[in-house]
């Protein structure tokens, strides 16, 4: 499968714990995006990278959230001191200029904070 | 006011029906427009881009009205497999760089036999 992959697909954690998600974009896609989606809502932008540079961060990305893309390939999203309000689907997408920057989404990581 | 607004539905239609969804956007600087489809508990998938001249892909037709700042999606001859949530998406470009996707809440479509 050459699409965007995310790991884990599901995560259950207790409030206050730290969690980390991984995203592997489509090969050679130099832009990578993170979104969050809660029930009944559309996805909301969190942050995006062009290669290893984090170019934009949403106001939704509180101090407890940090994203990295150290080598310009895979990315990690870490949430520290999780809260129940962090429960959501975390979606990763990637894009390429030659494809008009069309964003292709991964299957998401569903987080439940108890 | 939300940047992208859609009627959440649900739209319940019989097989073979024609159904239309509208979406409005608030930022006149919006440059790119799309419809994404999302099945229950799955990721969004690009259905089609929306161009000013309107575009068609099989049973699906998308229209853009910049003056009124709305986008539409028409589905003809609905199939059971069209049942999904349809997300209206815009991109606001600024500083010469590609912006992020701004999603509406989605319109739920249920096609019944």
């Amino acid at each position: 499968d050459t699409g965007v992959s995310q790991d884990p697909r599901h995560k259950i954690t207790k409030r206050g714990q730290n969690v980390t998600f991984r995203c592997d974009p489509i090969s050679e896609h130099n832009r990578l995006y993170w979104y969050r989606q809660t029930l009944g809502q559309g996805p909301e932008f969190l942050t995006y990278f062009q290669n290893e540079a984090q170019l934009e961060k949403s106001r939704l990305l509180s101090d407890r959230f940090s994203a990295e893309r150290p080598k310009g390939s895979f990315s990690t999203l870490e949430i520290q001191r999780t809260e129940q309000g962090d429960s959501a689907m975390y979606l990763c997408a990637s894009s390429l200029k030659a494809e008009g920057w069309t964003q292709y989404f991964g299957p998401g990581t569903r987080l439940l904070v108890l | 006011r939300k940047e992208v607004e859609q009627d959440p539905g649900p739209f319940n239609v019989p097989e073979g029906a024609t159904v239309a969804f509208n979406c409005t956007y608030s930022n006149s600087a919006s440059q790119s427009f799309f419809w994404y489809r999302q099945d229950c508990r799955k990721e969004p998938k690009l259905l089609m881009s929306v161009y000013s001249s309107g575009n068609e892909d099989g049973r699906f037709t998308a229209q853009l009205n910049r003056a009124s700042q709305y986008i539409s999606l028409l589905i003809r001859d609905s199939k059971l497999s069209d049942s999904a949530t349809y997300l209206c998406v815009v991109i606001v470009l600024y500083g010469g760089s590609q912006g992020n996707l701004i999603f509406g809440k989605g319109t739920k479509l249920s096609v019944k036999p």
Side-chain angles (χ1 to χ4, degrees):
Chain A
D1 187 353
T2 56
V4 178
S5 62
Q6 291 186 245
D7 183 70
R9 295 290 304 277
H10 303 273
K11 179 71 177 178
I12 300 174
T13 191
K14 292 182 180 177
R15 192 174 47 189
Q17 297 294 305
N18 299 345
V19 294
T20 300
F21 310 141
R22 176 179 170 127
C23 171
D24 286 86
I26 294 171
S27 179
E28 298 182 357
H29 277 202
N30 57 345
R31 285 192 177 167
L32 185 150
Y33 310 77
W34 285 99
Y35 293 83
R36 181 174 72 184
Q37 185 174 25
T38 54
L39 198 62
Q41 304 293 318
E44 295 173 295
F45 170 76
L46 292 178
T47 188
Y48 93 91
F49 293 83
Q50 176 146 323
N51 300 315
E52 65 276 7
Q54 189 172 17
L55 295 188
E56 187 177 349
K57 292 195 287 186
S58 160
R59 293 169 301 174
L60 293 176
L61 213 67
S62 75
D63 292 345
R64 297 184 297 105
F65 287 70
S66 62
E68 294 183 344
R69 195 183 183 197
K71 298 180 181 177
S73 56
F74 73 91
S75 174
T76 57
L77 177 68
E78 181 182 17
I79 309 174
Q80 295 182 325
R81 305 181 303 283
T82 53
E83 300 173 357
Q84 288 185 321
D86 296 332
S87 297
M89 171 82 94
Y90 289 84
L91 292 159
C92 176
S94 68
S95 68
L96 183 67
K97 185 176 182 180
E99 297 176 5
W101 299 120
T102 299
Q103 295 186 30
Y104 298 92
F105 284 81
T109 294
R110 190 171 294 277
L111 173 67
L112 177 61
V113 182
L114 301 176
Chain B
R1 182 183 172 186
K2 282 280 193 181
E3 288 200 70
V4 179
E5 295 204 59
Q6 296 181 249
D7 180 346
F11 284 60
N12 297 309
V13 303
E15 265 187 296
T18 295
V19 61
F21 308 137
N22 287 332
C23 161
T24 57
Y25 60 94
S26 60
N27 193 329
S28 59
S30 299
Q31 293 290 330
S32 302
F33 309 89
F34 308 88
W35 284 100
Y36 274 71
R37 170 194 168 128
Q38 187 171 29
D39 292 289
C40 188
R41 303 180 75 83
K42 299 285 190 180
E43 73 273 22
K45 293 187 177 178
L46 179 65
L47 180 65
M48 58 198 303
S49 301
V50 187
Y51 304 116
S52 296
S53 55
N55 47 301
E56 190 173 307
D57 183 2
R59 298 181 294 109
F60 299 84
T61 301
Q63 296 276 356
L64 167 63
N65 185 318
R66 285 188 183 272
S68 301
Q69 296 185 196
Y70 82 77
I71 307 151
S72 65
L73 177 67
L74 183 77
I75 306 175
R76 290 181 299 279
D77 188 24
S78 300
K79 311 291 184 191
L80 295 176
S81 57
D82 293 335
S83 297
T85 296
Y86 291 83
L87 297 161
C88 176
V89 186
V90 306
I91 292 180
V92 180
L93 297 176
Y94 48 88
S97 65
Q98 177 78 3
N100 56 80
L101 299 179
I102 302 171
F103 285 82
K105 288 186 177 182
T107 297
K108 187 171 182 179
L109 171 66
S110 182
V111 181
K112 306 292 187 184

